[in-house]
Amino acid sequence: MLIMEKLSQGDRGIFVYYLQLALIRAGYPIALDGIFGPDTCDALRQFTGQSSCSVTDETWQLLIPYLKGYVNHTLQSGDTYWKLARTYNTTIAAIRRANPNASPLDLTPGTTLKIPLPFSLVSTDVPYSSLLTKWILEGLTIRYPFLSLTTIGHSVTGSPLSCLRIGDGKREVFYNASFHANEWITTPLLLNFAEQYAMAYSRNETIGGLPTRSLYNACSLYLVPLVNPDGVDLVTGALSQERFFIQAQNIAADYPMIPFPNGWKANIDGIDLNLQFPAGWENARRIKYAQGFTAPAPRDFVGYAPLSAPESRAIYDFTLQHDFSLILAYHTQGEVIYWKYLDYDPKGAYELGQYFSQVSGYLLEETPSASAYAGYKDWFILNYNRPGYTIEVGLGISPLPLSQFPKIYHDNLGILTGAMAFSS
């Protein structure tokens, strides 16, 4: 699990990005470049009111509300929602929504209110990590208490696998992202959709041209935006446990043709989580062993048995506990939608896939034979004979740059909304 790094001027990396993002949200217009330079130093001094230009644990405690998107305010005599909204530059509606059990006509001094801060919570300008994902999920449930958050399992290092639920309809659907570490751009894709959906629902607006109240009442949407937290932390430079970094480095040393860490897809034990499911796993093993992946590797090692990785097992168990009528598994890259497993042809799957292709511009294809086994989508179709899709977003070499995010989100909005509206 991640801890916050102490920083000083001259440092670079993901935690400097988070420092800068917090300072920008606090009102200091600095560059968001991951470099702790003079401008960031000046902004930090102004923010803290101190002469020091270093970030300690105490500094992070001041900054983190700007990453979670809310503050805890202890009510004082004379406080009103109007006064609090002016103080924090937010709205009365946002305060009321975040505190559904409080009465604006009966504010008791000494009690605590959650005050949402005035910015969108999901950033599409910084690298992602398990810690940022955790903050965002917490912030979303504070801003929108009709969301619910559960832990469905844990990674190798103990990071929680978090699941966000939106909606209370009888029909259940499931979206997941970042099975593969260097495909982490899919995590903000699902988080951004969750925020936009929750915001639109709270305002009785549409999303993707569909009425959110109807979607919410008809469908329960489950999102696991980060299936492989340890691997993502490795790729983005956020992994704080040195022994796991060294373990990954030693694994990668046996595969010098794969860039480290950018080529890393596996979990931190070197198991490819999307080759772990009991859907032709033996065939996947034969194919991948023939390619040279016979032991832990940055990608394509199927493990020594199906479901031996805790992350894959958690997704498997979670699926068995529900009655999902449809799943979307988000990956990168290629702008293609894979819809089939072997000769299984679930009712309505091809027609819905054609719709997804139309609204996204992505090609609808059958999975290539070299990758046709042991994936989560494969197992879901095999086990339930219901529509399941692997969606490969973006173009280029993973990890894709965040500059592609606006197009990726635009292309996939119709898929994300349409899957909820689908009725077989």
Side-chain angles (χ1 to χ4, degrees), residues 344-357:
Y344 285 80
D345 186 8
K347 180 183 177 182
Y350 179 68
E351 292 76 13
L352 183 59
Q354 287 182 310
Y355 171 78
F356 288 165
S357 177

Side-chain angles (χ1 to χ4, degrees), residues 305-367:
L307 304 174
S308 56
E311 300 91 345
S312 298
R313 184 78 203 199
I315 295 294
Y316 174 87
D317 289 341
F318 177 69
T319 304
L320 292 178
Q321 293 161 10
H322 289 270
D323 187 30
F324 297 128
S325 60
L326 177 151
I327 63 95
L328 302 179
Y330 268 95
H331 291 256
T332 66
Q333 42 69 33
E335 297 189 347
V336 63
I337 301 166
Y338 297 120
W339 71 282
K340 206 172 183 184
Y341 175 64
L342 300 181
D343 292 329
Y344 285 80
D345 186 8
K347 180 183 177 182
Y350 179 68
E351 292 76 13
L352 183 59
Q354 287 182 310
Y355 171 78
F356 288 165
S357 177
Q358 178 184 353
V359 297
S360 65
Y362 289 8
L363 295 176
L364 181 66
E365 296 185 356
E366 296 185 17
T367 310

Side-chain angles (χ1 to χ4, degrees), residues 275-296:
L275 291 171
Q276 270 275 285
F277 291 86
W281 179 85
E282 294 79 5
N283 290 330
R285 179 179 60 183
R286 173 179 52 80
I287 292 168
K288 298 305 179 182
Y289 272 38
Q291 294 173 353
F293 297 101
T294 60

Side-chain angles (χ1 to χ4, degrees), residues 175-215:
Y175 305 166
N176 54 68
S178 291
F179 260 93
H180 289 147
N182 62 357
E183 300 173 6
W184 60 260
I185 198 170
T186 58
T187 292
L189 172 64
L190 292 193
L191 290 173
N192 192 59
F193 176 70
E195 180 170 30
Q196 297 304 313
Y197 180 20
M199 184 185 304
Y201 174 78
S202 72
R203 298 173 179 176
N204 196 18
E205 297 173 347
T206 63
I207 186 167
L210 299 176
T212 53
R213 294 295 169 92
S214 296
L215 292 175

Side-chain angles (χ1 to χ4, degrees), residues 140-222:
L140 285 174
T141 58
I142 293 297
R143 292 184 176 206
Y144 306 105
F146 51 84
L147 306 180
S148 61
L149 187 64
T150 56
T151 298
I152 68 166
H154 292 84
S155 71
V156 172
T157 70
S159 288
L161 305 185
S162 298
C163 179
L164 188 70
R165 174 177 171 169
I166 311 177
D168 59 8
K170 182 178 180 180
R171 180 171 171 272
E172 296 183 320
V173 298
F174 177 37
Y175 305 166
N176 54 68
S178 291
F179 260 93
H180 289 147
N182 62 357
E183 300 173 6
W184 60 260
I185 198 170
T186 58
T187 292
L189 172 64
L190 292 193
L191 290 173
N192 192 59
F193 176 70
E195 180 170 30
Q196 297 304 313
Y197 180 20
M199 184 185 304
Y201 174 78
S202 72
R203 298 173 179 176
N204 196 18
E205 297 173 347
T206 63
I207 186 167
L210 299 176
T212 53
R213 294 295 169 92
S214 296
L215 292 175
Y216 188 95
N217 293 330
C219 177
S220 292
L221 170 63
Y222 294 83

Side-chain angles (χ1 to χ4, degrees), residues 58-284:
E58 291 76 16
T59 317
W60 279 120
Q61 293 308 307
L62 298 174
L63 293 163
I64 285 174
Y66 294 94
L67 299 170
K68 292 183 176 181
Y70 75 96
V71 297
N72 292 308
H73 177 89
T74 302
L75 289 170
Q76 306 295 317
S77 179
D79 277 345
T80 64
Y81 276 17
W82 178 81
K83 181 179 177 181
L84 293 172
R86 285 176 58 91
T87 299
Y88 292 101
N89 192 30
T90 188
T91 66
I92 292 174
I95 297 173
R96 296 188 68 165
R97 187 165 55 242
N99 300 276
N101 297 321
S103 169
L105 301 179
D106 184 23
L107 298 180
T108 305
T111 59
T112 300
L113 293 183
K114 309 290 187 183
I115 311 295
L117 297 174
F119 47 78
S120 295
L121 189 54
V122 180
S123 172
T124 58
D125 298 313
V126 298
Y128 269 66
S129 66
S130 60
L131 194 52
L132 182 60
T133 302
K134 176 184 175 182
W135 289 332
I136 290 172
L137 290 171
E138 178 183 328
L140 285 174
T141 58
I142 293 297
R143 292 184 176 206
Y144 306 105
F146 51 84
L147 306 180
S148 61
L149 187 64
T150 56
T151 298
I152 68 166
H154 292 84
S155 71
V156 172
T157 70
S159 288
L161 305 185
S162 298
C163 179
L164 188 70
R165 174 177 171 169
I166 311 177
D168 59 8
K170 182 178 180 180
R171 180 171 171 272
E172 296 183 320
V173 298
F174 177 37
Y175 305 166
N176 54 68
S178 291
F179 260 93
H180 289 147
N182 62 357
E183 300 173 6
W184 60 260
I185 198 170
T186 58
T187 292
L189 172 64
L190 292 193
L191 290 173
N192 192 59
F193 176 70
E195 180 170 30
Q196 297 304 313
Y197 180 20
M199 184 185 304
Y201 174 78
S202 72
R203 298 173 179 176
N204 196 18
E205 297 173 347
T206 63
I207 186 167
L210 299 176
T212 53
R213 294 295 169 92
S214 296
L215 292 175
Y216 188 95
N217 293 330
C219 177
S220 292
L221 170 63
Y222 294 83
L223 302 166
V224 175
L226 186 51
V227 175
N228 186 1
D230 304 340
V232 168
D233 289 343
L234 174 68
V235 171
T236 60
L239 191 66
S240 59
Q241 299 188 47
E242 184 178 6
R243 68 184 180 94
F244 287 109
F245 180 86
I246 294 173
Q247 171 183 297
Q249 201 170 38
N250 290 337
I251 291 171
D254 292 332
Y255 300 87
M257 76 295 290
I258 301 174
F260 182 80
N262 280 357
W264 191 277
K265 297 175 67 175
N267 77 348
I268 205 65
D269 280 342
I271 298 174
D272 191 314
L273 299 179
N274 204 42
L275 291 171
Q276 270 275 285
F277 291 86
W281 179 85
E282 294 79 5
N283 290 330

